[in-house]
Each structure stands twice: as C-alpha cells, then as structure tokens.
Amino acid sequence: MPIIGPGHDDPEYDNYDPAWKRQDTPFRQWLGEKLAAAGLDPEMATMWAPANRYNGLNPSAMEDIALLTGSSTEHVRATHKADLANWAREQELRNHPDLAVLDADLNRIARPT
C-alpha cells in the first residue's frame, strides 16, 4: 500500500532539519561529551540537539538521555533550560542595534564554559 503524505525518510515526517548535523549548541556539546564518556557515539546527540531548542524535550526523551549519559533527569532538564536561556540571549542580541554589545557577546559564545 502506498504511503500517503511524508515517508519515514522524509524530513517532514519527524520535523528533522538537516542543518542540525552542523549546528553546535551548549546542550549538544554537553550531551556529546556525556555520550562519549559513556562509551557511546557522540553523534547520537543529533537525535536530541539542537532539536531541543525548537521542539523541546519531553519527559521520555529526558529519561532516555539521563539513562544513556548516567545523569539524572533533573540535570538533563537544567542543562536543557540553560541552553534555551543561552539561545534566547543570542536571539535578543541579533535584534539589538548596538553591534559593540553583539561583538562582546559573540566573543563570549566563542569561549564556551
């Protein structure tokens, strides 16, 4: 029987954006480091980040991430919220007309903590 609508490999099927393979975020960095420390492929982070910025993380995803990384769901939630706060700040600065402030914040972004 033919599939009506997007197929399973179609980016529209799961709201996946191919640009996510290249987009680095604090949450993705954290997740990649935790996955690598657990002996897993850090590229698995692409399953959740940066999609977490656009689609959020449901409790099931947080539990999966916590299990795979040896973290608590509270730690995953806190890291996710910190990433969203960072993203909100980036968005504010992109709309700010004072390029000196933007330049200072870009320097901050270039030096992840």
Side-chain angles (χ1 to χ4, degrees), residues 5-21 51 55:
H8 294 287
D9 293 333
D10 192 312
E12 292 179 37
Y13 182 75
D14 59 1
N15 205 18
Y16 175 76
D17 182 347
W20 292 348
K21 288 186 178 186
N55 303 324

Side-chain angles (χ1 to χ4, degrees), residues 77-95:
R77 182 178 294 106
T79 306
H80 166 63
K81 284 186 171 187
D83 183 68
L84 293 179
N86 179 277
W87 187 40
R89 179 75 176 136
E90 289 175 24
Q91 299 305 312
E92 288 174 15
L93 289 172
R94 284 191 179 108
N95 296 326

Side-chain angles (χ1 to χ4, degrees), residues 24-78:
D24 202 18
T25 66
F27 184 73
R28 183 177 181 165
Q29 290 171 5
W30 173 84
L31 184 52
E33 290 169 8
K34 289 291 195 177
L35 290 169
L40 300 168
D41 183 3
E43 286 301 308
M44 286 175 59
T46 306
M47 292 171 42
W48 294 288
N52 69 300
R53 289 183 165 187
Y54 305 96
N55 303 324
L57 286 177
N58 62 37
S60 176
M62 286 190 201
E63 289 173 10
D64 291 346
I65 293 168
L67 179 66
L68 290 171
T69 63
S71 301
S72 67
T73 54
E74 291 79 18
H75 192 198
V76 174
R77 182 178 294 106

